[in-house]
Amino acid sequence: QQQVKQSPQSLIVQKGGISIINCAYENTAFDYFPWYQQFPGKGPALLIAIRPDVSEKKEGRFTISFNKSAKQFSLHIMDSQPGDSATYFCAASFPSGNTPLVFGKGTRLSVIA
Amino acid sequence: GAVVSQHPSWVICKSGTSVKIECRSLDFQATTMFWYRQFPKQSLMLMATSNEGSKATYEQGVEKDKFLINHASLTLSTLTVTSAHPEDSSFYICSARSLDRGGYGYTFGSGTRLTVV
């Protein structure tokens, strides 16, 4: 049973365009929704995160949109650059301190010039 | 920000030998640590959860006698792959979480590429 569903599996965007990755979750007990960026051979790095009491959070070119009623959240990368080419994972966690993140399956983003 | 140091970055070992991977939280106390395994082009697969001073909780299908996890202090957790075989070759990543950081501090190590020959 996959608790966090991520789409698309892969994405090709032209330089300067907007990259959009979507995630849907099932468990309403989740209370923290981070996005991670991973380059080949490296561990995931936190990109941006949101709590369910906020509908949108923006940090630089990265924006999370959160729809609590639909149980969906998305990552928007504005003005996408070749350096953004990486794998992006959405995740969700429970309030308890000893529970792990629940990851989506990842989206491989390629930004082409 | 929070830093988790993972060593080694890569290791090659002969089949049948054991390999130890270390994960250290450098600037915070990690009350809980998680170990993941990642296959190429796939998501992270949780192997086990460890809390300082207690036995690790392994996910279904993970052999606890093969993947020994020790979390003896608030800053160090180790994963030992015992009697490694080629099918254990993978990318292993640790993650540390501490309630000291507002309850949402999941920080990942840089990963260890294990190749068993």
Side-chain angles (χ1 to χ4, degrees):
Chain A
Q1 180 185 0
Q2 187 183 352
Q3 296 195 60
V4 178
K5 294 182 179 181
Q6 183 172 347
S7 63
Q9 191 172 13
S10 62
L11 181 62
I12 299 175
V13 173
Q14 287 221 314
K15 179 182 176 182
I18 303 174
S19 303
I20 302 175
I21 305 171
N22 301 298
C23 282
Y25 63 97
E26 298 171 1
N27 197 323
T28 56
F30 289 137
D31 76 334
Y32 175 66
F33 302 88
W35 284 90
Y36 285 85
Q37 180 188 57
Q38 186 181 29
F39 293 103
K42 301 294 183 182
L46 179 65
L47 196 59
I48 188 172
I50 199 167
R51 297 283 309 279
D53 53 352
V54 177
S55 62
E56 184 176 283
K57 183 174 181 180
K58 183 176 181 179
E59 290 184 0
R61 297 186 293 110
F62 303 93
T63 300
I64 297 180
S65 296
F66 188 85
N67 187 329
K68 188 174 181 178
S69 61
K71 293 189 286 186
Q72 295 175 346
F73 59 109
S74 60
L75 174 68
H76 291 65
I77 305 174
M78 311 299 288
D79 187 26
S80 298
Q81 299 296 313
D84 296 330
S85 298
T87 300
Y88 293 81
F89 294 96
C90 63
S93 78
F94 298 102
S96 172
N98 62 352
T99 57
L101 286 167
V102 178
F103 282 95
K105 290 193 173 183
T107 297
R108 297 186 72 191
L109 171 65
S110 297
V111 181
I112 56 175
Chain B
V3 177
V4 171
S5 176
Q6 185 173 345
H7 292 283
S9 298
W10 60 270
V11 58
I12 301 173
C13 71
K14 291 185 176 181
S15 186
T17 62
S18 296
V19 173
K20 180 182 285 188
I21 301 170
E22 290 191 349
C23 181
R24 293 180 183 273
S25 56
L26 298 186
D27 54 354
F28 68 102
Q29 293 184 330
T31 52
T32 304
M33 288 189 174
F34 308 97
W35 286 93
Y36 295 86
R37 184 173 182 176
Q38 187 177 35
F39 292 103
K41 299 183 181 180
Q42 292 191 22
S43 189
L44 286 75
M45 182 184 75
L46 180 68
M47 297 176 66
T49 299
S50 70
N51 294 295
E52 185 266 338
S54 61
K55 289 185 178 180
T57 302
Y58 291 82
E59 295 299 299
Q60 190 173 10
V62 177
E63 299 176 60
K64 61 182 179 181
D65 293 331
K66 165 169 274 297
F67 300 100
L68 301 179
I69 292 172
N70 183 281
H71 191 163
S73 77
L74 285 171
T75 60
L76 174 65
S77 177
T78 60
L79 166 67
T80 301
V81 183
T82 63
S83 187
H85 291 283
E87 58 265 31
D88 299 325
S89 298
S90 190
F91 193 56
Y92 294 88
I93 309 170
C94 66
S95 174
R97 187 183 196 193
S98 171
L99 296 178
D100 292 341
R101 308 194 73 82
Y104 298 101
Y106 291 96
T107 304
F108 286 82
S110 56
T112 298
R113 171 73 58 194
L114 171 63
T115 302
V116 184
V117 297

